[in-house]
Amino acid sequence: MKLDYMQCWNGAMALLLAHKEAILAIAGVFLFLPTLLFAQYVAPPVLTGDEDANALVAAYSLYFNENALAILASNLVMGFGGLAIYFALVPSRSHTVAENLAAALKFFLIYLLANLLSGLVILPGLLLFILPGLYLSCRFVLIPVILADQQERSPVELLKQSWSITRDNGFSILLFLAIIMVVGGITLNVLEAVTGVVVGLATGGEGWMLILNLVASLVGTIFQLIIYAVIVSIYIELTGRRAGAV
């Protein structure tokens, strides 16, 4: 089955609308808050723009070494929240926020193992030619949805099913997600720029980092929710599963 972009997008928007209370509750705690705290308290590398490759590697190596614990904790919390949102969005479930969080906790280790396995497959493609790695990423993009919808406990089987479902649609998914990410990235940059100007004018040029981080974290969270819903919609379109399917 070929992916219909418009149908998939409309399906994603319908999913967000139908489950807005649950996903907003989960996203507020597990996506927005960690993103805001990380932006507020973990300073990014200071770059002048004149660094060569060695200087960039050194700067980011220092950054990751100094903030390894914060980066790990933030990613684990947001990964868990993302999995809980997948449990809230998949067609086979209609559960409370607490039940979705409990299910995500139950399957979180399997999710991490499946991501680790897929990463081992994707990494060589990214290192060698980039595009093959991106293609492979799209072939495995349905792993969390399959986990949430079918509650498959085998990480290897999750990879196999995602590979099977996305057959003949890898580049279609890549193009679709790339379009969304480019538009989302531009939107985020524009909103951050406008917010920076408004805050700068209101504070006499001094700025207010908390407001800037609040806006960036809020927009980033909304964008992430759209991506989650689109991925679930892709799964629904390619499998024909609808609400109530088991």
Side-chain angles (χ1 to χ4, degrees):
M1 179 182 295
K2 289 296 182 181
L3 193 64
D4 185 320
Y5 288 173
M6 186 56 66
Q7 188 172 343
C8 190
W9 176 259
N10 291 337
M13 295 303 101
L15 283 171
L16 289 175
L17 183 62
H19 302 280
K20 58 182 181 297
E21 293 86 0
I23 61 175
L24 287 176
I26 297 170
V29 176
F30 294 99
L31 298 183
F32 171 74
L33 188 58
T35 302
L36 176 61
L37 292 175
F38 190 88
Q40 191 71 15
Y41 294 108
V42 179
V46 178
L47 303 174
T48 64
D50 298 324
E51 292 84 0
D52 58 16
N54 291 332
L56 286 173
V57 170
Y60 278 98
S61 294
L62 179 62
Y63 168 75
F64 285 117
N65 287 336
E66 290 180 344
N67 301 289
L69 184 59
I71 293 171
L72 177 62
S74 177
N75 279 280
L76 285 175
V77 171
M78 290 191 290
F80 170 77
L83 184 59
I85 290 170
Y86 280 118
F87 270 99
L89 291 175
V90 291
S92 63
R93 293 177 58 85
S94 180
H95 290 43
T96 65
V97 170
E99 289 170 332
N100 288 324
L101 291 172
L105 182 60
K106 180 179 178 181
F107 288 92
F108 191 49
L109 180 57
I110 296 172
Y111 175 56
L112 293 178
L113 290 174
N115 279 339
L116 177 60
L117 289 177
S118 65
L120 293 175
V121 177
I122 294 166
L123 184 59
L126 290 174
L127 293 177
L128 292 175
F129 300 107
I130 300 180
L131 184 58
L134 295 176
Y135 170 80
L136 291 171
S137 298
C138 291
R139 293 300 302 272
F140 294 126
V141 75
L142 299 183
I143 285 174
V145 193
I146 298 168
L147 175 61
D149 190 47
Q150 303 180 28
Q151 301 191 15
E152 172 61 55
R153 294 178 177 273
S154 168
V156 174
E157 187 61 28
L158 288 171
L159 268 67
K160 288 181 178 178
Q161 288 198 40
S162 182
W163 187 267
S164 175
I165 293 171
T166 58
R167 181 180 294 116
D168 299 326
N169 284 284
F171 284 112
S172 296
I173 294 172
L174 175 57
L175 179 59
F176 189 33
L177 293 180
I179 293 171
I180 295 172
M181 289 180 181
V182 168
V183 173
I186 293 173
T187 302
L188 179 58
N189 287 333
V190 169
L191 287 175
E192 286 182 343
V194 171
T195 303
V197 171
V198 172
V199 171
L201 292 174
T203 59
E206 296 181 4
W208 194 359
M209 190 56 65
L210 177 59
I211 296 297
L212 298 177
N213 289 335
L214 274 170
V215 172
S217 299
L218 179 60
V219 176
T221 298
I222 293 172
F223 176 60
Q224 192 63 54
L225 289 176
I226 292 173
I227 294 295
Y228 290 151
V230 165
I231 292 173
V232 175
S233 186
I234 290 172
Y235 171 78
I236 292 172
E237 293 303 321
L238 294 181
T239 61
R241 295 174 71 87
R242 293 293 186 268
V246 294

